[in-house]
Amino acid sequence: MPRHESLLTDLAAAAKAPPVTHADFAIGDVVKHRLFEFRGVIFDVDPIFANSEEWYESIPEDVRPDRDQPFYHLLAENAESSYVAYVSQQNLVPDDSDEPVHHPAIAGIFDAYADGRYRLKREHRH
């Protein structure tokens, strides 16, 4: 294949690829939701939306986030309960309360809480 055809093929493939995204938060960071009253610790990050179409469509259209951004898995808590949440980057802000998150699954994933973040247990590090 001539070089210019190869270059065109590469450009076409790049145009179909999802955009490169940058995660503003890291595993172990404590964050809070920008709109709703809950906070949590990040335990996983998807570079772009990776949940079901049904889940995405269940979000009211006027607050539905863009898919092409990082989405975070949180061990979350509010005043009533603890749960797992899946939240877009645009809806998270740092939690500067300097308070630990009280979620029963934290001890299985993280070691210690210090300076507003959790340290991942050795067996969960890459």
Side-chain angles (χ1 to χ4, degrees):
M1 173 184 315
R3 178 155 166 63
H4 71 280
E5 287 181 30
S6 175
L7 182 58
L8 289 175
T9 302
D10 292 346
L11 288 172
K16 294 178 187 173
V20 174
T21 58
H22 172 74
D24 290 344
F25 303 105
I27 293 173
D29 286 351
V30 177
V31 293
K32 61 184 179 180
H33 198 281
R34 185 174 62 84
L35 302 173
F36 303 113
E37 292 293 319
F38 72 87
R39 59 195 290 271
V41 57
I42 296 168
F43 71 92
D44 196 10
V45 183
D46 293 334
I48 60 171
F49 178 78
N51 207 329
S52 71
E53 189 64 25
E54 180 182 5
W55 184 93
Y56 188 76
E57 293 295 326
S58 73
I59 301 169
E61 201 167 334
D62 60 328
V63 294
R64 191 176 298 154
D66 183 26
R67 295 172 190 258
D68 294 331
Q69 63 179 310
F71 276 73
Y72 299 86
H73 299 260
L74 307 178
L75 298 177
E77 67 178 1
N78 61 25
E80 291 85 40
S81 65
S82 59
Y83 51 96
V84 173
Y86 191 64
V87 185
S88 65
Q89 182 163 277
Q90 75 186 53
N91 284 322
L92 291 177
V93 295
D95 182 312
D96 57 4
S97 69
D98 207 28
E99 294 290 322
V101 175
H102 303 288
H103 191 288
I106 287 176
I109 301 172
F110 298 100
D111 271 336
Y113 175 79
D115 300 321
R117 64 183 327 272
Y118 285 87
R119 186 179 67 213
L120 200 57
K121 284 188 170 187
R122 180 175 300 278
E123 62 264 27
H124 297 298
R125 295 182 206 160
H126 296 285

